Amino acid sequence: QLRQAKEKHDSCNRHQREPLPEYILEGLDFCADCGRAHRRIPNTHRDKVTYRLTYICSHGNAISPKYTYQHFRQDELYSKLYAILRKEIELCSEARKRMAEIKASPITKRRESKQAAEIRRIQEQFDRIPVRKRKLYDDFCAGILDESDYRLFNQRYDREKEALAAELAAVTAEAEKLEPAYIDNNPWVAAMERFMDEKELTREMLVAMVERIEVEANRNIHIKFRFSDEYKKPLLAFLEESEAVSA
């Protein structure tokens, strides 16, 4: 019995002396209640070392008298995170497929033609303004217009030029959404598609896709993805709008 106890003790000490494997969530995971970063501690059970994510919420007493430690086993946490990231990757893949279908549809072809015609119309009006302003100046120099009329028309042309520039930018931006580059150069799409075939959670995947992970007291997980607000939401909104028009 003494020998068995000593062997178990030595085994535990050996595990405790071994360096911990890489913690791939380093700098990314936090308590949703107090904002503190999680710390990982090793727990030995039957000669095996398992890793639990353990943290104390500084607001625990205000939330619940029973709120003390929150534990999340590392393999369980990794599994949950991987499942969430896979859903995001699959959403990206589906968005690319839907974009290709929209691009090839007859409605989109007609829309592209209409947008191209609109861009030409606005550009032609925009290009005529400098010519009209030169004519206005020539009339002023020739005494056909007095100074007050010259200033009045010149300001009107400036306002018209600004309005046309804004209109041209809006129509051009809308047309660019149907270009392949809108998908191919989309940082959200690029970040997701890099890991389409990834079979497990990795540090590289997390750094590329995730900005912050928060775990609530009830163990619910919230992930803030990179590029989501700037690139993901506008793309999905455009797809929904396009499908509504096609319906």
Side-chain angles (χ1 to χ4, degrees), residues 99-145:
M99 191 68 178
E101 293 171 356
I102 291 172
K103 177 72 176 173
S105 70
I107 292 177
T108 299
K109 298 296 183 184
R110 291 194 295 270
R111 184 195 226 177
E112 287 179 324
S113 179
K114 183 178 179 180
Q115 287 175 335
E118 184 70 3
I119 290 173
R120 286 195 300 271
R121 180 190 67 80
I122 298 171
Q123 188 66 56
E124 288 172 0
Q125 292 183 1
F126 186 86
D127 293 341
R128 281 200 296 268
I129 289 179
V131 178
R132 292 162 68 184
K133 291 190 71 171
R134 284 196 297 270
K135 177 66 167 58
L136 181 68
Y137 181 74
D138 291 342
D139 289 345
F140 170 66
C141 292
I144 300 175
L145 294 175

Short mmCIF file of all heavy atoms in Angstrom, two decimals, residues 99-145:
data_model
loop_
_atom_site.label_atom_id
_atom_site.label_comp_id
_atom_site.label_asym_id
_atom_site.label_seq_id
_atom_site.Cartn_x
_atom_site.Cartn_y
_atom_site.Cartn_z
N MET A 99 -24.37 34.04 -53.43
CA MET A 99 -23.88 35.16 -54.23
C MET A 99 -23.67 34.73 -55.67
O MET A 99 -23.99 35.47 -56.61
CB MET A 99 -22.56 35.68 -53.64
CG MET A 99 -22.11 37.00 -54.22
SD MET A 99 -23.21 38.34 -53.75
CE MET A 99 -22.38 39.73 -54.53
N ALA A 100 -23.13 33.53 -55.88
CA ALA A 100 -22.91 33.02 -57.24
C ALA A 100 -24.25 32.82 -57.96
O ALA A 100 -24.37 33.13 -59.16
CB ALA A 100 -22.15 31.70 -57.17
N GLU A 101 -25.25 32.34 -57.25
CA GLU A 101 -26.57 32.14 -57.86
C GLU A 101 -27.21 33.48 -58.23
O GLU A 101 -27.81 33.61 -59.30
CB GLU A 101 -27.48 31.38 -56.88
CG GLU A 101 -27.03 29.94 -56.64
CD GLU A 101 -27.79 29.28 -55.51
OE1 GLU A 101 -28.62 29.99 -54.86
OE2 GLU A 101 -27.56 28.08 -55.26
N ILE A 102 -27.09 34.45 -57.34
CA ILE A 102 -27.64 35.78 -57.62
C ILE A 102 -26.95 36.41 -58.81
O ILE A 102 -27.58 37.01 -59.68
CB ILE A 102 -27.51 36.68 -56.37
CG1 ILE A 102 -28.44 36.18 -55.27
CG2 ILE A 102 -27.80 38.13 -56.71
CD1 ILE A 102 -28.23 36.87 -53.95
N LYS A 103 -25.64 36.26 -58.86
CA LYS A 103 -24.86 36.84 -59.96
C LYS A 103 -25.28 36.28 -61.31
O LYS A 103 -25.28 37.00 -62.32
CB LYS A 103 -23.37 36.55 -59.70
CG LYS A 103 -22.42 37.04 -60.78
CD LYS A 103 -22.28 38.53 -60.78
CE LYS A 103 -21.24 38.98 -61.80
NZ LYS A 103 -21.19 40.44 -61.93
N ALA A 104 -25.67 35.01 -61.35
CA ALA A 104 -26.01 34.36 -62.62
C ALA A 104 -27.48 34.51 -63.01
O ALA A 104 -27.86 34.10 -64.10
CB ALA A 104 -25.65 32.87 -62.54
N SER A 105 -28.29 35.09 -62.15
CA SER A 105 -29.73 35.14 -62.42
C SER A 105 -30.08 36.21 -63.47
O SER A 105 -29.39 37.22 -63.59
CB SER A 105 -30.49 35.44 -61.13
OG SER A 105 -30.25 36.77 -60.72
N PRO A 106 -31.16 36.01 -64.25
CA PRO A 106 -31.59 37.01 -65.24
C PRO A 106 -31.92 38.36 -64.61
O PRO A 106 -31.67 39.41 -65.20
CB PRO A 106 -32.83 36.37 -65.87
CG PRO A 106 -32.68 34.91 -65.62
CD PRO A 106 -31.98 34.78 -64.31
N ILE A 107 -32.51 38.33 -63.43
CA ILE A 107 -32.85 39.58 -62.75
C ILE A 107 -31.59 40.40 -62.48
O ILE A 107 -31.57 41.62 -62.66
CB ILE A 107 -33.60 39.29 -61.43
CG1 ILE A 107 -34.97 38.69 -61.73
CG2 ILE A 107 -33.73 40.55 -60.59
CD1 ILE A 107 -35.76 38.31 -60.50
N THR A 108 -30.53 39.71 -62.06
CA THR A 108 -29.27 40.41 -61.79
C THR A 108 -28.68 40.97 -63.06
O THR A 108 -28.12 42.08 -63.07
CB THR A 108 -28.27 39.44 -61.12
OG1 THR A 108 -28.82 38.98 -59.89
CG2 THR A 108 -26.95 40.14 -60.85
N LYS A 109 -28.79 40.24 -64.17
CA LYS A 109 -28.28 40.73 -65.45
C LYS A 109 -28.98 42.03 -65.84
O LYS A 109 -28.34 42.99 -66.29
CB LYS A 109 -28.46 39.67 -66.53
CG LYS A 109 -27.72 38.37 -66.30
CD LYS A 109 -26.22 38.57 -66.29
CE LYS A 109 -25.50 37.23 -66.14
NZ LYS A 109 -24.04 37.40 -66.03
N ARG A 110 -30.30 42.06 -65.67
CA ARG A 110 -31.04 43.27 -66.00
C ARG A 110 -30.66 44.41 -65.05
O ARG A 110 -30.55 45.57 -65.46
CB ARG A 110 -32.54 43.00 -65.93
CG ARG A 110 -33.05 42.07 -67.02
CD ARG A 110 -34.57 42.09 -67.12
NE ARG A 110 -35.21 41.56 -65.92
CZ ARG A 110 -35.51 40.28 -65.76
NH1 ARG A 110 -35.23 39.40 -66.72
NH2 ARG A 110 -36.10 39.86 -64.66
N ARG A 111 -30.47 44.06 -63.81
CA ARG A 111 -30.09 45.07 -62.83
C ARG A 111 -28.73 45.66 -63.16
O ARG A 111 -28.52 46.87 -63.05
CB ARG A 111 -30.07 44.42 -61.45
CG ARG A 111 -29.79 45.38 -60.31
CD ARG A 111 -29.43 44.58 -59.06
NE ARG A 111 -30.12 45.06 -57.91
CZ ARG A 111 -30.03 44.51 -56.71
NH1 ARG A 111 -29.32 43.41 -56.56
NH2 ARG A 111 -30.66 45.01 -55.68
N GLU A 112 -27.78 44.82 -63.55
CA GLU A 112 -26.45 45.29 -63.92
C GLU A 112 -26.51 46.23 -65.11
O GLU A 112 -25.82 47.26 -65.14
CB GLU A 112 -25.54 44.10 -64.24
CG GLU A 112 -25.10 43.30 -63.03
CD GLU A 112 -24.22 42.12 -63.41
OE1 GLU A 112 -24.49 41.53 -64.49
OE2 GLU A 112 -23.29 41.80 -62.67
N SER A 113 -27.34 45.87 -66.09
CA SER A 113 -27.49 46.71 -67.28
C SER A 113 -28.07 48.07 -66.92
O SER A 113 -27.61 49.11 -67.40
CB SER A 113 -28.38 46.00 -68.31
OG SER A 113 -28.56 46.81 -69.44
N LYS A 114 -29.07 48.05 -66.05
CA LYS A 114 -29.70 49.30 -65.62
C LYS A 114 -28.72 50.16 -64.83
O LYS A 114 -28.66 51.38 -65.02
CB LYS A 114 -30.93 48.97 -64.76
CG LYS A 114 -31.70 50.19 -64.30
CD LYS A 114 -32.93 49.78 -63.50
CE LYS A 114 -33.69 51.01 -63.01
NZ LYS A 114 -34.89 50.62 -62.21
N GLN A 115 -27.94 49.53 -63.96
CA GLN A 115 -26.96 50.28 -63.17
C GLN A 115 -25.87 50.88 -64.06
O GLN A 115 -25.43 52.01 -63.84
CB GLN A 115 -26.34 49.37 -62.11
CG GLN A 115 -27.27 49.04 -60.96
CD GLN A 115 -26.67 48.05 -59.99
OE1 GLN A 115 -25.80 47.25 -60.36
NE2 GLN A 115 -27.13 48.06 -58.75
N ALA A 116 -25.44 50.13 -65.05
CA ALA A 116 -24.41 50.64 -65.97
C ALA A 116 -24.92 51.86 -66.72
O ALA A 116 -24.19 52.85 -66.90
CB ALA A 116 -24.00 49.55 -66.94
N ALA A 117 -26.19 51.80 -67.16
CA ALA A 117 -26.79 52.94 -67.86
C ALA A 117 -26.91 54.15 -66.93
O ALA A 117 -26.68 55.30 -67.34
CB ALA A 117 -28.15 52.55 -68.42
N GLU A 118 -27.27 53.89 -65.69
CA GLU A 118 -27.41 54.98 -64.72
C GLU A 118 -26.06 55.63 -64.43
O GLU A 118 -25.95 56.85 -64.32
CB GLU A 118 -28.02 54.43 -63.43
CG GLU A 118 -28.31 55.47 -62.37
CD GLU A 118 -29.46 56.40 -62.72
OE1 GLU A 118 -30.09 56.20 -63.78
OE2 GLU A 118 -29.72 57.32 -61.93
N ILE A 119 -25.02 54.81 -64.32
CA ILE A 119 -23.68 55.35 -64.09
C ILE A 119 -23.24 56.22 -65.25
O ILE A 119 -22.66 57.30 -65.06
CB ILE A 119 -22.68 54.20 -63.84
CG1 ILE A 119 -22.96 53.54 -62.48
CG2 ILE A 119 -21.24 54.70 -63.90
CD1 ILE A 119 -22.14 52.30 -62.21
N ARG A 120 -23.50 55.76 -66.47
CA ARG A 120 -23.14 56.57 -67.65
C ARG A 120 -23.88 57.90 -67.65
O ARG A 120 -23.30 58.95 -67.97
CB ARG A 120 -23.44 55.79 -68.93
CG ARG A 120 -22.48 54.65 -69.22
CD ARG A 120 -22.62 54.16 -70.65
NE ARG A 120 -23.98 53.68 -70.92
CZ ARG A 120 -24.38 52.43 -70.74
NH1 ARG A 120 -23.53 51.53 -70.25
NH2 ARG A 120 -25.62 52.06 -71.03
N ARG A 121 -25.17 57.87 -67.32
CA ARG A 121 -25.97 59.09 -67.31
C ARG A 121 -25.42 60.10 -66.30
O ARG A 121 -25.24 61.29 -66.63
CB ARG A 121 -27.43 58.76 -66.97
CG ARG A 121 -28.35 59.98 -66.93
CD ARG A 121 -29.71 59.63 -66.36
NE ARG A 121 -29.63 59.28 -64.95
CZ ARG A 121 -29.54 60.18 -63.96
NH1 ARG A 121 -29.49 61.49 -64.23
NH2 ARG A 121 -29.49 59.78 -62.70
N ILE A 122 -25.16 59.64 -65.10
CA ILE A 122 -24.65 60.54 -64.05
C ILE A 122 -23.27 61.06 -64.42
O ILE A 122 -22.98 62.24 -64.24
CB ILE A 122 -24.60 59.80 -62.70
CG1 ILE A 122 -26.01 59.36 -62.28
CG2 ILE A 122 -24.00 60.69 -61.63
CD1 ILE A 122 -26.03 58.45 -61.07
N GLN A 123 -22.43 60.19 -64.97
CA GLN A 123 -21.07 60.60 -65.34
C GLN A 123 -21.10 61.66 -66.43
O GLN A 123 -20.31 62.62 -66.39
CB GLN A 123 -20.27 59.39 -65.80
CG GLN A 123 -18.80 59.67 -66.03
CD GLN A 123 -18.06 60.03 -64.76
OE1 GLN A 123 -18.07 59.26 -63.80
NE2 GLN A 123 -17.43 61.20 -64.74
N GLU A 124 -22.01 61.50 -67.39
CA GLU A 124 -22.12 62.49 -68.46
C GLU A 124 -22.55 63.85 -67.91
O GLU A 124 -22.01 64.89 -68.31
CB GLU A 124 -23.12 62.00 -69.51
CG GLU A 124 -22.59 60.85 -70.36
CD GLU A 124 -23.66 60.24 -71.25
OE1 GLU A 124 -24.82 60.74 -71.19
OE2 GLU A 124 -23.36 59.29 -71.99
N GLN A 125 -23.52 63.84 -66.99
CA GLN A 125 -23.94 65.11 -66.38
C GLN A 125 -22.80 65.73 -65.58
O GLN A 125 -22.61 66.96 -65.59
CB GLN A 125 -25.15 64.87 -65.48
CG GLN A 125 -26.42 64.50 -66.23
CD GLN A 125 -27.61 64.36 -65.31
OE1 GLN A 125 -27.50 64.56 -64.10
NE2 GLN A 125 -28.75 64.00 -65.86
N PHE A 126 -22.07 64.88 -64.86
CA PHE A 126 -20.96 65.36 -64.05
C PHE A 126 -19.88 65.99 -64.93
O PHE A 126 -19.32 67.05 -64.60
CB PHE A 126 -20.38 64.20 -63.25
CG PHE A 126 -19.33 64.58 -62.26
CD1 PHE A 126 -19.66 65.01 -60.99
CD2 PHE A 126 -17.98 64.53 -62.61
CE1 PHE A 126 -18.68 65.36 -60.08
CE2 PHE A 126 -17.00 64.88 -61.71
CZ PHE A 126 -17.35 65.31 -60.43
N ASP A 127 -19.58 65.36 -66.06
CA ASP A 127 -18.53 65.86 -66.96
C ASP A 127 -18.94 67.16 -67.66
O ASP A 127 -18.06 67.92 -68.11
CB ASP A 127 -18.20 64.79 -68.01
CG ASP A 127 -17.54 63.57 -67.39
OD1 ASP A 127 -17.00 63.68 -66.27
OD2 ASP A 127 -17.55 62.50 -68.02
N ARG A 128 -20.24 67.42 -67.78
CA ARG A 128 -20.69 68.64 -68.46
C ARG A 128 -20.57 69.87 -67.57
O ARG A 128 -20.52 71.00 -68.08
CB ARG A 128 -22.15 68.48 -68.90
CG ARG A 128 -22.32 67.67 -70.18
CD ARG A 128 -23.68 67.94 -70.83
NE ARG A 128 -24.78 67.49 -70.00
CZ ARG A 128 -25.34 66.29 -70.07
NH1 ARG A 128 -24.88 65.42 -70.96
NH2 ARG A 128 -26.35 65.97 -69.29
N ILE A 129 -20.49 69.68 -66.27
CA ILE A 129 -20.47 70.84 -65.36
C ILE A 129 -19.23 71.72 -65.56
O ILE A 129 -19.35 72.95 -65.63
CB ILE A 129 -20.60 70.37 -63.90
CG1 ILE A 129 -22.01 69.87 -63.65
CG2 ILE A 129 -20.25 71.49 -62.93
CD1 ILE A 129 -22.27 69.35 -62.26
N PRO A 130 -18.00 71.16 -65.67
CA PRO A 130 -16.85 72.04 -65.91
C PRO A 130 -16.99 72.85 -67.21
O PRO A 130 -16.57 74.02 -67.27
CB PRO A 130 -15.68 71.06 -66.00
CG PRO A 130 -16.11 69.89 -65.20
CD PRO A 130 -17.57 69.77 -65.46
N VAL A 131 -17.59 72.25 -68.24
CA VAL A 131 -17.80 72.96 -69.49
C VAL A 131 -18.77 74.12 -69.29
O VAL A 131 -18.54 75.24 -69.79
CB VAL A 131 -18.35 71.99 -70.57
CG1 VAL A 131 -18.63 72.74 -71.88
CG2 VAL A 131 -17.38 70.85 -70.81
N ARG A 132 -19.82 73.87 -68.55
CA ARG A 132 -20.82 74.92 -68.29
C ARG A 132 -20.22 76.03 -67.44
O ARG A 132 -20.54 77.22 -67.62
CB ARG A 132 -22.03 74.30 -67.60
CG ARG A 132 -22.81 73.35 -68.53
CD ARG A 132 -23.71 72.43 -67.76
NE ARG A 132 -24.81 73.11 -67.14
CZ ARG A 132 -25.70 72.51 -66.33
NH1 ARG A 132 -25.57 71.21 -66.06
NH2 ARG A 132 -26.69 73.20 -65.81
N LYS A 133 -19.33 75.66 -66.50
CA LYS A 133 -18.71 76.68 -65.66
C LYS A 133 -17.73 77.55 -66.46
O LYS A 133 -17.63 78.75 -66.22
CB LYS A 133 -17.99 76.01 -64.48
CG LYS A 133 -18.92 75.37 -63.47
CD LYS A 133 -18.20 74.93 -62.20
CE LYS A 133 -17.78 76.09 -61.38
NZ LYS A 133 -17.25 75.73 -60.06
N ARG A 134 -17.03 76.93 -67.40
CA ARG A 134 -16.15 77.73 -68.27
C ARG A 134 -16.97 78.69 -69.14
O ARG A 134 -16.58 79.85 -69.32
CB ARG A 134 -15.31 76.80 -69.15
CG ARG A 134 -14.15 76.13 -68.42
CD ARG A 134 -13.14 75.55 -69.39
NE ARG A 134 -13.73 74.49 -70.20
CZ ARG A 134 -13.73 73.21 -69.85
NH1 ARG A 134 -13.19 72.84 -68.70
NH2 ARG A 134 -14.27 72.31 -70.64
N LYS A 135 -18.10 78.21 -69.66
CA LYS A 135 -18.98 79.07 -70.45
C LYS A 135 -19.53 80.21 -69.60
O LYS A 135 -19.63 81.36 -70.05
CB LYS A 135 -20.13 78.22 -71.01
CG LYS A 135 -21.17 78.99 -71.81
CD LYS A 135 -20.58 79.56 -73.10
CE LYS A 135 -21.65 80.06 -74.05
NZ LYS A 135 -22.52 81.10 -73.48
N LEU A 136 -19.85 79.89 -68.35
CA LEU A 136 -20.35 80.91 -67.43
C LEU A 136 -19.31 81.99 -67.20
O LEU A 136 -19.62 83.19 -67.22
CB LEU A 136 -20.73 80.23 -66.11
CG LEU A 136 -21.31 81.12 -65.02
CD1 LEU A 136 -22.68 81.64 -65.42
CD2 LEU A 136 -21.40 80.37 -63.70
N TYR A 137 -18.06 81.56 -67.03
CA TYR A 137 -16.99 82.52 -66.80
C TYR A 137 -16.74 83.38 -68.04
O TYR A 137 -16.52 84.61 -67.93
CB TYR A 137 -15.71 81.78 -66.41
CG TYR A 137 -14.55 82.70 -66.13
CD1 TYR A 137 -14.49 83.45 -64.96
CD2 TYR A 137 -13.50 82.83 -67.05
CE1 TYR A 137 -13.43 84.30 -64.71
CE2 TYR A 137 -12.44 83.68 -66.80
CZ TYR A 137 -12.40 84.42 -65.62
OH TYR A 137 -11.35 85.27 -65.38
N ASP A 138 -16.81 82.75 -69.21
CA ASP A 138 -16.64 83.52 -70.46
C ASP A 138 -17.74 84.58 -70.59
O ASP A 138 -17.47 85.72 -71.02
CB ASP A 138 -16.68 82.57 -71.66
CG ASP A 138 -15.45 81.68 -71.72
OD1 ASP A 138 -14.44 82.02 -71.06
OD2 ASP A 138 -15.50 80.63 -72.40
N ASP A 139 -18.97 84.23 -70.24
CA ASP A 139 -20.08 85.19 -70.31
C ASP A 139 -19.88 86.33 -69.33
O ASP A 139 -20.21 87.49 -69.61
CB ASP A 139 -21.41 84.49 -70.02
CG ASP A 139 -21.83 83.56 -71.14
OD1 ASP A 139 -21.26 83.66 -72.25
OD2 ASP A 139 -22.74 82.73 -70.92
N PHE A 140 -19.32 86.01 -68.16
CA PHE A 140 -19.04 87.05 -67.18
C PHE A 140 -17.97 88.00 -67.69
O PHE A 140 -18.09 89.23 -67.57
CB PHE A 140 -18.61 86.41 -65.86
CG PHE A 140 -18.08 87.37 -64.84
CD1 PHE A 140 -18.92 88.34 -64.27
CD2 PHE A 140 -16.75 87.34 -64.46
CE1 PHE A 140 -18.42 89.23 -63.33
CE2 PHE A 140 -16.25 88.24 -63.53
CZ PHE A 140 -17.08 89.19 -62.96
N CYS A 141 -16.91 87.44 -68.27
CA CYS A 141 -15.83 88.27 -68.81
C CYS A 141 -16.31 89.13 -69.98
O CYS A 141 -15.83 90.26 -70.19
CB CYS A 141 -14.66 87.41 -69.26
SG CYS A 141 -13.81 86.58 -67.89
N ALA A 142 -17.27 88.59 -70.74
CA ALA A 142 -17.79 89.34 -71.89
C ALA A 142 -18.83 90.36 -71.49
O ALA A 142 -19.33 91.11 -72.34
CB ALA A 142 -18.38 88.35 -72.90
N GLY A 143 -19.18 90.43 -70.21
CA GLY A 143 -20.16 91.40 -69.74
C GLY A 143 -21.59 90.96 -69.92
O GLY A 143 -22.51 91.75 -69.67
N ILE A 144 -21.81 89.72 -70.34
CA ILE A 144 -23.18 89.22 -70.51
C ILE A 144 -23.84 89.00 -69.15
O ILE A 144 -25.05 89.22 -69.00
CB ILE A 144 -23.17 87.90 -71.32
CG1 ILE A 144 -22.55 88.16 -72.70
CG2 ILE A 144 -24.57 87.32 -71.44
CD1 ILE A 144 -22.38 86.91 -73.54
N LEU A 145 -23.06 88.60 -68.17
CA LEU A 145 -23.55 88.40 -66.80
C LEU A 145 -22.85 89.37 -65.86
O LEU A 145 -21.65 89.64 -66.01
CB LEU A 145 -23.28 86.97 -66.32
CG LEU A 145 -24.00 85.83 -67.02
CD1 LEU A 145 -23.50 84.50 -66.49
CD2 LEU A 145 -25.52 85.93 -66.78
#
